[in-house]
Amino acid sequence: MSAQLDHTIVHSSDRFGGARFLAELIESAEPPYANGPFAALTLDDGLTLDYLDHRGDIVSQHLAFRVPDDLFERILAKVVERELPYWADPHHTEPGATYLHHGSRGFYVDDPDGHALEFLTPPTGAAAG
């Protein structure tokens, strides 16, 4: 068996608020749940994002999610409907745009704590997974 990421901790000013923000965007079948001090959000591949209340400054993390084309369109529509700023680049210099790199479409949006969430599609012609 090779190494597989099981979970990671995401610092948040509101653990359930942060977890719900992402869960709603990605249309998670399961809502975040309490797991000790964490608001846990389990993704389809079994990876769990454990949101933890954090006092003080939160250091931004980059979390990238490969999603099917149809879900990508729905996520982008939610971001636009909510009038959330989004960008085609990680440095936030291309506002209100998506990118196309190596056959994948994508964009970046910040969660309520400033974590950079990237959503990208499988490369054109790649098998859905």
Side-chain angles (χ1 to χ4, degrees):
M1 178 176 166
S2 63
Q4 182 177 346
L5 186 60
D6 180 76
H7 67 277
T8 191
I9 295 173
V10 181
H11 289 164
S12 182
S13 59
D14 172 5
R15 63 187 173 141
F16 277 97
R20 276 193 297 269
F21 178 85
L22 177 58
E24 290 169 4
L25 284 181
I26 64 172
E27 301 174 359
S28 176
E30 299 295 326
Y33 59 92
N35 183 17
F38 305 105
L41 178 61
T42 302
L43 305 179
D44 287 346
D45 64 357
L47 172 67
T48 302
L49 299 177
D50 291 331
Y51 283 77
L52 178 66
D53 285 333
H54 180 79
R55 295 178 195 199
D57 293 337
I58 294 175
V59 176
S60 175
Q61 292 176 258
H62 171 235
L63 302 168
F65 301 92
R66 187 175 306 274
V67 296
D69 291 301
D70 58 335
L71 180 55
F72 177 88
E73 293 298 336
R74 292 193 306 273
I75 293 169
L76 182 57
K78 288 175 199 173
V79 166
V80 170
E81 179 182 302
R82 295 176 185 182
E83 298 181 352
L84 298 173
Y86 66 98
W87 302 267
D89 67 305
H91 301 292
H92 298 167
T93 62
E94 299 176 53
T98 61
Y99 66 75
L100 180 61
H101 296 297
H102 307 291
S104 292
R105 294 175 53 219
F107 72 94
Y108 299 79
V109 62
D110 289 348
D111 82 352
D113 289 303
H115 297 299
L117 306 179
E118 179 182 7
F119 297 100
L120 67 153
T121 65
T124 303

